[in-house]
Amino acid sequence: MSRNVRIALTLTVGVLLILTLRTVVAFAQFSKVERGFVSFQNGQSRSSIITKMGRPNYYSGKCGVIHYPGKSCSLEYVYSHPFAPIIPEYDIISFSSDDRVIEADKWDWP
């Protein structure tokens, strides 16, 4: 095998390994979010949500990016399926100005 072929093969294997690792990590976080999403309640603090589910992988900021929450919403976390928007599954958590959960929705289409 020539040197150029070995270099190309090594780079290809490296890229495939990185892509596989990133996909596995994304699905592990999505699984954690899915398990945590069903167990919290309105009134929980934002820090407890981050502890349980991790930081949002899709969006964190102003309310109303995907859906229209209540008027008391001041911050929105959106967790998505690793293959979003191809597989449009979103878990949306809305917080009040005192960093408490006021609403949680599952959306399958933005």
Side-chain angles (χ1 to χ4, degrees):
M1 211 181 319
S2 74
R3 182 172 185 258
N4 288 340
V5 171
R6 278 186 284 159
I7 290 173
L9 186 59
T10 302
L11 287 174
T12 301
V13 168
V15 167
L16 288 174
L17 184 63
I18 289 170
L19 289 174
T20 302
L21 184 62
R22 287 184 54 102
T23 302
V24 167
V25 168
F27 274 100
Q29 180 177 1
F30 181 67
S31 176
K32 181 180 177 182
V33 167
E34 290 295 299
R35 286 189 314 270
F37 192 80
V38 297
S39 66
F40 69 86
Q41 302 171 353
N42 284 354
Q44 271 189 282
S45 69
R46 182 165 53 115
S47 61
S48 70
I49 299 299
I50 291 172
T51 301
K52 189 178 290 186
M53 297 174 44
R55 295 226 176 256
N57 65 332
Y58 188 79
Y59 178 76
S60 172
K62 183 180 174 185
C63 298
V65 170
I66 290 182
H67 81 306
Y68 300 105
K71 293 182 182 187
S72 61
C73 179
S74 67
L75 178 68
E76 183 174 80
Y77 280 1
V78 181
Y79 298 88
S80 70
H81 187 278
F83 293 143
I86 296 168
I87 300 175
E89 294 178 14
Y90 302 94
D91 296 327
I92 304 166
I93 303 171
S94 302
F95 297 95
S96 64
S97 59
D98 62 345
D99 283 343
R100 298 286 176 183
V101 174
I102 56 172
E103 184 180 5
D105 290 319
K106 285 190 165 289
W107 280 67
D108 59 4
W109 191 254

